[in-house]
Amino acid sequence: MAENRKSTLVLVAERAGVSIASVSRVLNGLPASVSVTERVQRAAEELGYVADATARSLKVGKTEQIALAVADVGNPVYVAMMHEISRVVTDAGYRLVVSSTGSDPDEQITLLSSLNRGYADGLILSPLRVTEPLIDQLGSSRLPIVVIGSLPADVELDSVRADSAAGMGLAIKHLAKHGRARIAFINGPVDTVPGAARLSGYTSAMHKRGMAMHGDLQVNADDFTFAAGLTATTTLLDQATPDAIVCANDLLAVAALKVMLKRGLKVPEDIALVGMDDTDIAELTTPSITSVNLGSIKRARTAAKLLIRRLADPDAPVKRVVIEPKLTVRESSVVTHDATETKRASAPPSSATAGHAEGGGAR
Amino acid sequence: MAENRKSTLVLVAERAGVSIASVSRVLNGLPASVSVTERVQRAAEELGYVADATARSLKVGKTEQIALAVADVGNPVYVAMMHEISRVVTDAGYRLVVSSTGSDPDEQITLLSSLNRGYADGLILSPLRVTEPLIDQLGSSRLPIVVIGSLPADVELDSVRADSAAGMGLAIKHLAKHGRARIAFINGPVDTVPGAARLSGYTSAMHKRGMAMHGDLQVNADDFTFAAGLTATTTLLDQATPDAIVCANDLLAVAALKVMLKRGLKVPEDIALVGMDDTDIAELTTPSITSVNLGSIKRARTAAKLLIRRLADPDAPVKRVVIEPKLTVRESSVVTHDATETKRASAPPSSATAGHAEGGGAR
DNA sequence: AGATTTCCTGTAAACGTTTACGAGAACGTT
DNA sequence: AACGTTCTCGTAAACGTTTACAGGAAATCT
């Protein structure tokens, strides 16, 4: 059935003995007589005809493609978000083209201008750093953009962001409730959007609870990676003796866990640990890591839906969505009773792990 | 500079006072007089002109897009491969559209036929299961396809695959050399391409070394996920007492590690563990996991380059590349000397971390 | 039965490029 | 000075669709 020759509308038309307009109409479900419909469908079938996407795009001015630009691939949270976005957009009939820019804002700017070449109908952008020129470029884009992350208030774009300050609040509160007093914070670079937000969340949460905040308790990793987390944790533990650590990121948390275990520290007995993003890797480790769920999946889904909505209705009012954080409590932050006797005890109770909340559905 | 009106060739042409042909020529670097070149460039600049990708594609018959279809997203190894592919294709001037199909071959078939709509110039496909109809569809595709994975010999397609049988060999050899005799194998579904290959690798490697092979030592997880790994490992440890476990996958290995630690088993002392794929997560855990590096990154890069080569030269001879495996030895498979006294042992030789040497059986 | 509406389908233009072709202009050659 | 060659640039066709428009047949109404 499928000929390996490219088959066009005119081919089908002459085989069916009708005009190309009729073929197009039939194939697009517009009204036509039964006889024509029949003949066209048969001809199309026999030739294995499939409409050319490029020609259609040129004519109707839509590519049915959505571009996704994430700054920091490699971070599992962005991978999870990408999957979710992929699902939503393909369900809506779009293809997803991914442009993994580096964290460099300049790359994103050139990407934005290349967007104007019209290879996609819209863009979902998750910038790590937001600079002036980037904002300018964002504002002057010809086609719809949805931003995942914080944005200055005067930028008229749909956006969805996490409330990482509130998330830090949850973490601190949880740790305080379990009697931790010297809560350290391992952050990523503070000149990034998430880095800045999480730092301010930490300081304000600590302040609000009237907890001591030595500068020694706060270190910044060079970036949000595992490797950077290793050295950051080492630095921290060399300069302070916290009874809890909260990390800006699950990768950093995993690194922290590794260093602590290496040093013979018991988690959570000696030091409690809380990560952030609630990615799959948080439940892989032993002990599994309590993590602040910043709603990555939900953010991704919302962003995708926002873009699709705007594509359907360009004049819809601008929406700014904030996703509320939750805390997923795992083993790394609370001391279980039988942990004091022996470690072997805690074999899985009935099912698998004890995790809650909607993690990234690994599939 | 960038007007938010769409600007076309004719706009530029009339502003520069030349024909659209001249504009096109100048912008494509074809010879033109200095005066014309100058005027066109200035006009284009002033209007913020960018050529429309769709129109260009229609005319020249190339989309400058490459499609990537991976069956099992969520598996970190495919994520890593995707990044590598993304890098290579963008460097070559292509965009990457990702279509995350499920593991269902039918999905891949519909994807293949949709490929004929011509939204991409070529496809990189990594199928989890290879069925007859899929192969048929592969063969009759109009545009170039590179397959990551094994393929029947009579399929005339560029492909690159891992030698997972050899990889299993490396793992078994390594474990045997360190005195392990009862080596268990946790596989994924055997009706998948990697599952089948790894199983045969296991049996032949065990056989070759004349090692005992009880059926009890081999279990199949329902799929290649962490969750499936947990139950599979539980099953295994309930029915046998291996002194080593090799897993078809790092995710499975991490799951195995988790279950073993939960049961109070010491890794690698009681049971050595080897994973497969050598993904990032293998070094995140404590102990970090020895893993067979099947050259995922290299496979990805090679696949991308093969496709680009074929796009440049459609008549190039078909290439089948096999990437040789290596073994990345980490903590989970070899017992370090001073591990009996204290755990601090395996700290990096020169760098920090060495300080805290607490006595006592930290685990 | 004629007039009007409705339905169907073909003709042709358009989307925004690239590019083959040919007409002049500029140049060098005899 | 006439001719051939090279260079530059404009005209127009083409890529494969969708769709406005109009013409003709069929159906409905008075």
Side-chain angles (χ1 to χ4, degrees):
Chain A
M1 34 197 71
E3 320 289 327
N4 54 3
R5 223 46 241 122
K6 68 196 167 192
S7 62
T8 84
L9 262 191
V10 310
L11 259 309
V12 180
E14 59 192 31
R15 179 178 255 258
V18 298
S19 76
I20 62 168
S22 293
V23 178
S24 173
R25 274 190 287 256
V26 169
L27 267 34
N28 288 4
L30 283 85
S33 75
V34 272
S35 119
V36 168
T37 306
E38 213 160 56
R39 274 183 297 163
V40 167
Q41 279 174 344
R42 194 152 50 86
E45 171 79 13
E46 288 168 357
L47 272 65
Y49 171 79
V50 274
D52 183 79
T54 313
R56 173 167 226 284
S57 291
L58 175 58
K59 186 56 189 170
V60 305
K62 291 173 184 289
T63 60
E64 318 225 286
Q65 294 191 153
I66 285 180
L68 171 65
V70 289
D72 182 18
V73 281
N75 186 332
V77 70
Y78 291 111
V79 175
M81 293 177 73
M82 198 189 89
H83 290 165
E84 184 65 17
I85 291 176
S86 166
R87 184 173 322 159
V88 176
V89 300
T90 52
D91 281 357
Y94 288 90
R95 289 183 298 270
L96 185 67
V97 345
V98 298
S99 332
S100 54
T101 73
S103 63
D104 185 7
D106 286 351
E107 284 188 62
Q108 311 197 355
I109 291 180
T110 59
L111 176 121
L112 279 177
S113 73
S114 91
L115 238 210
N116 282 329
R117 303 183 35 156
Y119 64 84
D121 297 338
L123 169 70
I124 300 177
L125 176 69
S126 171
L128 202 47
R129 300 167 215 261
V130 177
T131 62
E132 263 306 322
L134 177 60
I135 292 179
D136 290 351
Q137 191 75 15
L138 278 176
S140 68
S141 168
R142 198 159 44 78
L143 34 79
I145 296 179
V146 173
V147 172
I148 300 182
S150 299
L151 226 49
D154 58 331
V155 184
E156 292 277 313
L157 285 179
D158 294 314
S159 67
V160 38
R161 67 180 188 86
D163 190 347
S164 41
M168 286 294 310
L170 288 180
I172 306 282
K173 179 177 159 196
H174 170 74
L175 290 170
K177 196 172 72 181
H178 285 78
R180 310 291 171 159
R182 301 184 308 281
I183 304 178
F185 176 41
I186 299 180
N187 198 1
V190 287
D191 65 334
T192 60
V193 175
R198 282 152 211 205
L199 175 58
S200 86
Y202 171 70
T203 52
S204 81
M206 291 291 278
H207 193 74
K208 196 170 66 181
R209 309 192 79 82
M211 302 181 83
M213 248 183 63
H214 294 302
D216 287 351
L217 284 178
Q218 208 265 302
V219 297
N220 302 326
D222 288 340
D223 48 39
F224 289 101
T225 64
F226 177 73
L230 290 179
T231 62
T233 308
T234 306
T235 307
L236 172 68
L237 294 183
D238 283 347
Q239 75 188 22
T241 57
D243 58 9
I245 300 180
V246 39
C247 297
N249 190 330
D250 278 349
L251 276 178
L252 296 176
V254 173
L257 175 61
K258 177 126 197 166
V259 172
M260 290 190 282
L261 293 180
K262 270 273 157 53
R263 291 192 174 203
L265 295 165
K266 283 190 275 190
V267 178
E269 289 81 357
D270 298 337
I271 300 187
L273 177 65
V274 176
M276 201 163 232
D277 276 345
D278 198 12
T279 57
D280 289 342
I281 61 170
E283 64 175 356
L284 263 40
T285 54
T286 307
S288 57
I289 301 178
T290 294
S291 188
V292 178
N293 186 329
L294 293 177
S296 356
I297 305 294
K298 202 168 177 183
R299 266 183 291 154
R301 182 174 34 222
T302 324
K305 289 191 170 172
L306 276 184
L307 183 52
I308 289 169
R309 178 192 73 132
R310 180 152 304 282
L311 288 173
D313 175 15
D315 301 319
V318 172
K319 253 191 186 176
R320 290 175 223 271
V321 182
V322 179
I323 305 292
E324 288 307 316
K326 297 196 195 98
L327 187 71
T328 303
V329 178
R330 296 198 182 84
E331 302 164 344
S332 72
S333 65
V334 302
V335 180
T336 58
H337 289 310
D338 45 16
T340 48
E341 31 179 88
T342 323
K343 191 82 177 211
R344 93 185 125 147
S346 46
S350 57
S351 73
T353 12
H356 323 296
E358 50 153 2
R363 297 206 132 261
Chain B
M1 33 194 73
E3 320 290 327
N4 53 3
R5 223 47 240 124
K6 68 198 166 191
S7 62
T8 86
L9 263 192
V10 309
L11 258 311
V12 181
E14 60 192 29
R15 179 177 257 258
V18 298
S19 77
I20 62 170
S22 294
V23 178
S24 174
R25 272 190 288 259
V26 169
L27 266 34
N28 288 3
L30 283 85
S33 75
V34 272
S35 120
V36 168
T37 305
E38 211 161 58
R39 274 183 297 162
V40 167
Q41 279 174 345
R42 194 154 48 86
E45 169 80 13
E46 289 169 355
L47 271 64
Y49 172 79
V50 276
D52 181 78
T54 312
R56 174 167 223 283
S57 291
L58 176 59
K59 186 58 190 169
V60 305
K62 292 172 185 289
T63 61
E64 318 224 285
Q65 295 191 152
I66 285 180
L68 171 65
V70 290
D72 184 18
V73 283
N75 186 331
V77 71
Y78 290 111
V79 175
M81 293 178 73
M82 196 189 90
H83 291 163
E84 185 65 17
I85 291 176
S86 165
R87 185 175 320 158
V88 176
V89 301
T90 53
D91 281 357
Y94 289 89
R95 288 183 297 271
L96 185 67
V97 344
V98 299
S99 331
S100 54
T101 74
S103 62
D104 184 7
D106 287 349
E107 283 188 62
Q108 310 196 356
I109 292 180
T110 60
L111 178 122
L112 279 178
S113 71
S114 90
L115 238 210
N116 281 328
R117 302 183 35 157
Y119 64 84
D121 297 339
L123 169 71
I124 299 177
L125 176 69
S126 172
L128 201 47
R129 302 166 213 260
V130 177
T131 63
E132 265 306 322
L134 178 60
I135 292 177
D136 290 350
Q137 190 75 16
L138 278 176
S140 67
S141 169
R142 198 158 43 79
L143 33 79
I145 297 180
V146 173
V147 172
I148 301 183
S150 299
L151 226 49
D154 58 331
V155 184
E156 292 277 313
L157 285 179
D158 295 315
S159 67
V160 37
R161 68 180 188 88
D163 191 347
S164 41
M168 285 295 311
L170 288 181
I172 306 282
K173 179 177 159 195
H174 170 73
L175 290 170
K177 196 172 73 182
H178 284 80
R180 310 290 171 160
R182 302 185 307 280
I183 304 179
F185 176 40
I186 300 181
N187 197 2
V190 285
D191 65 335
T192 61
V193 175
R198 281 154 212 203
L199 175 58
S200 87
Y202 170 69
T203 52
S204 82
M206 291 290 278
H207 193 74
K208 195 170 69 183
R209 308 192 82 82
M211 301 183 82
M213 245 184 63
H214 294 301
D216 287 353
L217 284 177
Q218 208 264 301
V219 297
N220 302 324
D222 289 339
D223 50 38
F224 289 100
T225 63
F226 176 73
L230 291 178
T231 62
T233 308
T234 307
T235 307
L236 171 68
L237 294 183
D238 283 348
Q239 75 188 24
T241 56
D243 59 6
I245 300 180
V246 39
C247 297
N249 189 329
D250 277 348
L251 276 178
L252 296 176
V254 173
L257 176 61
K258 177 124 198 169
V259 172
M260 290 190 282
L261 293 180
K262 271 272 157 56
R263 293 195 172 203
L265 295 165
K266 283 189 275 192
V267 179
E269 288 82 356
D270 298 334
I271 301 187
L273 177 66
V274 176
M276 202 162 232
D277 278 345
D278 199 12
T279 57
D280 289 342
I281 61 169
E283 65 176 354
L284 264 40
T285 54
T286 308
S288 57
I289 301 179
T290 294
S291 188
V292 178
N293 186 330
L294 292 177
S296 358
I297 305 293
K298 203 168 177 185
R299 268 183 291 155
R301 183 175 34 225
T302 322
K305 288 190 170 169
L306 277 183
L307 183 52
I308 289 168
R309 178 193 73 131
R310 180 151 305 280
L311 288 174
D313 174 14
D315 300 318
V318 172
K319 253 192 186 175
R320 289 176 224 271
V321 181
V322 178
I323 304 293
E324 288 307 316
K326 296 195 197 100
L327 187 70
T328 304
V329 178
R330 296 200 180 84
E331 302 164 344
S332 71
S333 64
V334 302
V335 181
T336 57
H337 288 311
D338 42 17
T340 49
E341 34 179 83
T342 326
K343 189 80 177 216
R344 99 182 125 175
S346 46
S350 62
S351 84
T353 320
H356 287 25
E358 306 198 341
R363 25 176 83 110

